[in-house]
């Protein structure tokens, strides 16, 4: 399926881009045997992900005038890599459910999950090597450096769980590595395929990184302060798990020792009901104005991401889809 | 460190190649943080492997007149990939010991082993992308296809453990994927870097594949019929684990039902001492002339590997180191 994107053809909007991408994914043929290696890969890839990273990659390519068609394998590589990280994370976190279905380790067992995850990562390079040959070395460099940083982020995340004290700065560094770098890499690969200048590639990376951080901070905020409708699950999960979110770490850095004790111990206090635990911790957050601080940071990073788009060496209207993408990601109307 | 290998410089022999490779590995700098991600990688890579695959890659490159220096990153990529497979295999097999030391999962835990294995595989691509740019696409193709096949082989191996019946043909296919393909890929990458013709690349792949199969069959044979000195561990381990080796599968395909019962059940018969179990199973192997069959297959494949070298489009003396390599691998004097 060849996608026509000649000069006088209008740019594809975000929904059109997603349709093109889903069609591309659907025609990828994985081997049938051994079944227990490839079936979990198909299962993961068709699990109803939001395709945020490939969409971003394709939109960045298009913004700089690149052919969406040429960028499809790289977009699929990034999506495959993302799903590989989820698969191995589900083993490490002992997660039984992913996107409302049984996780791969829950369904096929841990060994199959390790191995099919490995195959997914290799397959992401199989897709990546299909980019135009003149850009392969550069794109491999971006992809590989991004992939290593994601592993570093996951390791810091596991390390932090065992540590008593983690600073807000350390946390921001961790989520940058674990989640934002993948958005940054996707954007940069797209821009590279669209023949963006090196400077614009760096800027688009920064745009995606700031957006990713805003998104992750908002995720933390909504988990405690959103509505069930916004969140798609029960409010307060992070608090009940005693997770070191940005809310928790901000609060810890500001609170007096008495309140710190509340933050540390409430989640495992067997005498309290879930509602009481949540209310108790949120009361401390509120006392130190934590939600406002985090909200400010989200807005700051979101605005920074959008303002980077103003500085790109392309016509303003070519950045429109990237603005829409950013607003959609954050669930914002304007 | 620049290795001089100009036309009038003699070819490096196998020991010299290994020294050059170890020096190259030693100067690779991995990041220091996060420690629990990178320390297991250094631990695995310095664990005293025999460096069979990188040596083969470098020798193949040199045989066709290529620069050993240019092939070092690819050789390191193949060795890194091999050690990644060992690391994840040790999780899947619950292996506490590797090369006489604690395995990575035993020492750091399973989650660290999963993640640092992932990072090793990504790092192998980090090394691979340093090959000359004109050959990158082709070498990525060889490497990635090889890597996927290794995963397929591991999956078949796990599948076979749970199956009652496995044919000799299925077994040969499995060990080809799980172990020989990696030798084949290493050889082919080396030849490609040495500017071998496509036909010679295919031949050198076949040479390494046959050699790998001969080696694996010999491994099976020695485990039951070797000396402790040859094997480096106690004889009969495979029999005591009830493993489906080529000896077992040949015997199963030939034996009458009564003997098949012995083959199936002896390893888990609690009334027998280890020595008795081993003697009992070997008596069946001997009754059906299995050791001779396997020995013939080893010789056949070994001779086939060497005879392929005669057909290469290079001077006969340029293949000498590859013959020595083959003999050393099989522990043969001639």
């Amino acid at each position: 399926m060849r996608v026509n994107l000649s000069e006088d053809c209008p740019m594809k909007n975000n929904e059109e881009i997603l349709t093109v991408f889903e069609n591309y994914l659907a025609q990828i043929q994985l081997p049938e045997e051994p079944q227990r290696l490839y079936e979990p890969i198909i299962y993961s890839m068709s699990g109803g992900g939001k395709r945020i990273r490939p969409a971003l990659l394709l939109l960045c390519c298009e913004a700089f005038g690149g052919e969406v068609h040429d960028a499809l394998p790289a977009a699929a590589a990034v999506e495959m890599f993302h799903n590989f990280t989820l698969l191995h994370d589900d083993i490490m976190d002992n997660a039984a459910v992913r996107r409302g279905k049984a996780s791969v380790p829950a369904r096929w067992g841990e060994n199959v999950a390790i191995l099919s995850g490995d195959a997914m990562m290799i397959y992401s390079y199989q897709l990546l090597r299909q980019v135009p040959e003149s850009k392969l070395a550069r794109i491999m460099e971006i992809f590989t450096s991004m992939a290593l940083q994601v592993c570093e982020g996951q390791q810091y995340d596991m390390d932090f769980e065992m540590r008593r004290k983690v600073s807000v700065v350390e946390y921001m560094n961790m989520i940058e590595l674990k989640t934002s770098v993948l958005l940054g890499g996707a954007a940069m690969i797209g821009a590279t395929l669209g023949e963006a200048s090196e400077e614009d590639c760096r800027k688009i990376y920064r745009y995606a990184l700031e957006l990713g951080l805003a998104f992750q901070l908002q995720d933390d905020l909504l988990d405690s302060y959103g509505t069930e409708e916004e969140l798609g699950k029960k409010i307060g999960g992070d608090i009940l798990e005693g997770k070191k979110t940005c809310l928790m770490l901000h609060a810890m850095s500001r609170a007096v020792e008495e309140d710190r004790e509340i933050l540390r111990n409430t989640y495992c206090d067997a005498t309290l009901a879930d509602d009481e635990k949540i209310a108790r911790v949120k009361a401390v957050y509120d006392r130190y104005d934590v939600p406002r601080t985090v909200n400010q940071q989200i807005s700051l990073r979101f605005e920074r991401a959008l303002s980077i788009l103003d500085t790109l060496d392309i016509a303003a209207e070519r950045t429109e889809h990237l603005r829409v993408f950013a607003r959609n990601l954050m669930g914002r109307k304007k």
Side-chain angles (χ1 to χ4, degrees), chain A:
Chain A
M1 186 198 57
R2 174 92 192 139
V3 178
N4 182 15
L5 258 189
S6 60
E7 274 309 293
D8 46 9
C9 169
M11 286 170 71
K12 294 202 180 307
N13 68 27
N14 303 25
E15 289 73 35
E16 288 162 344
I17 285 264
L18 275 178
T19 306
V20 172
F21 180 69
E22 290 296 343
N23 288 338
Y24 176 78
L25 268 193
Q27 56 79 49
I28 293 177
Q29 294 271 340
L30 289 174
E32 294 196 352
E33 294 283 334
Q35 217 183 340
R36 285 160 64 82
L37 183 66
Y38 290 110
E39 224 177 55
I41 301 181
I42 297 167
Y43 181 82
S44 300
M45 288 299 284
S46 54
K50 291 192 290 290
R51 316 299 193 197
I52 291 168
R53 295 146 199 88
L56 178 59
L57 188 152
L58 296 172
L59 289 170
C60 288
C61 174
E62 197 188 38
F64 290 95
E67 291 266 358
V68 165
H69 174 267
D70 292 344
L72 286 168
V78 166
E79 182 66 6
M80 183 73 83
F81 179 81
H82 171 60
N83 279 278
F84 143 75
T85 64
L86 298 182
L87 211 168
H88 276 192
D89 281 6
D90 283 347
I91 309 172
M92 294 183 246
D93 300 343
N94 241 319
V97 176
R98 165 70 60 188
R99 294 170 184 150
K101 297 193 300 181
S103 71
V104 170
R107 179 157 169 177
W108 279 276
E110 199 167 285
N111 284 359
V112 164
I114 292 174
L115 194 64
S116 53
D118 292 345
M120 280 177 96
M121 197 214 288
I122 299 167
Y123 205 88
S124 69
Y125 279 99
Q126 168 88 326
L127 290 160
L128 200 69
R129 74 168 180 79
Q130 294 168 45
V131 304
E133 207 170 324
S134 62
K135 302 200 182 85
L136 179 57
R138 176 70 185 125
I139 284 173
M140 266 193 79
E141 189 183 347
I142 302 169
F143 188 92
T144 299
S145 144
M146 165 193 95
L148 279 173
Q149 287 180 300
V150 172
C151 292
E152 292 178 4
Q154 171 68 7
Q155 184 61 54
Y156 282 124
D157 198 8
M158 296 196 299
D159 287 348
F160 290 176
E161 273 175 34
M162 299 187 305
R163 269 170 53 183
R164 190 178 151 91
K165 209 178 155 182
V166 176
S167 73
V168 174
V169 171
E170 287 175 314
Y171 180 78
M172 293 304 294
N173 178 50
M174 182 275 283
I175 61 169
E176 179 170 324
L177 291 168
K178 185 172 170 169
T179 69
S180 301
V181 156
L182 192 44
L183 288 175
M188 203 176 197
I189 290 170
T192 303
L193 288 166
E195 307 276 6
S197 69
E198 262 193 52
E199 200 187 330
D200 275 356
C201 282
R202 271 196 300 276
K203 285 178 178 171
I204 208 85
Y205 180 83
R206 203 67 228 169
Y207 149 82
L209 211 65
E210 295 289 357
L211 192 58
L213 288 168
F215 179 72
Q216 188 61 45
L217 292 177
Q218 177 165 282
D219 208 48
D220 282 3
L221 187 65
L222 289 182
D223 199 274
S224 298
Y225 287 91
T227 62
E228 269 192 47
E229 197 198 337
E230 282 173 309
L231 198 64
K233 58 182 174 183
K234 284 214 166 192
I235 297 301
D238 288 349
I239 291 175
L240 296 177
E241 283 178 48
K243 271 177 78 173
K244 298 194 186 75
T245 64
C246 71
L247 300 169
M248 175 62 83
L249 299 174
H250 270 295
M252 286 294 283
S253 74
R254 290 173 183 182
V256 297
E257 182 52 29
E258 199 188 328
D259 287 332
R260 281 213 290 262
E261 279 301 312
I262 297 175
L263 294 172
R264 266 187 219 115
N265 302 328
T266 301
Y267 82 99
C268 54
D269 183 340
T271 67
L272 296 173
D274 284 357
D275 282 357
E276 291 171 305
K277 290 181 184 175
I278 295 169
R280 211 174 216 215
V281 171
K282 281 173 73 170
V284 179
Y285 290 172
D286 291 334
R287 187 144 58 235
Y288 294 95
D289 224 5
V290 169
R292 200 169 62 93
T293 305
V294 174
N295 237 323
Q296 278 173 345
Q297 290 191 351
I298 294 167
S299 291
L300 190 76
R301 291 192 181 272
F302 178 72
E303 295 303 330
R304 209 186 277 162
L306 291 188
S307 70
I308 291 171
L309 295 178
D310 298 331
T311 71
L312 295 176
D313 192 20
I314 48 176
E317 64 267 24
R318 297 204 73 91
T319 67
E320 188 48 35
H321 292 164
L322 291 172
R323 289 174 205 277
V324 173
F325 173 86
R327 285 193 292 266
N328 287 346
L329 185 69
M330 302 299 288
R332 295 193 181 194
K333 299 249 156 48
K334 60 183 184 63

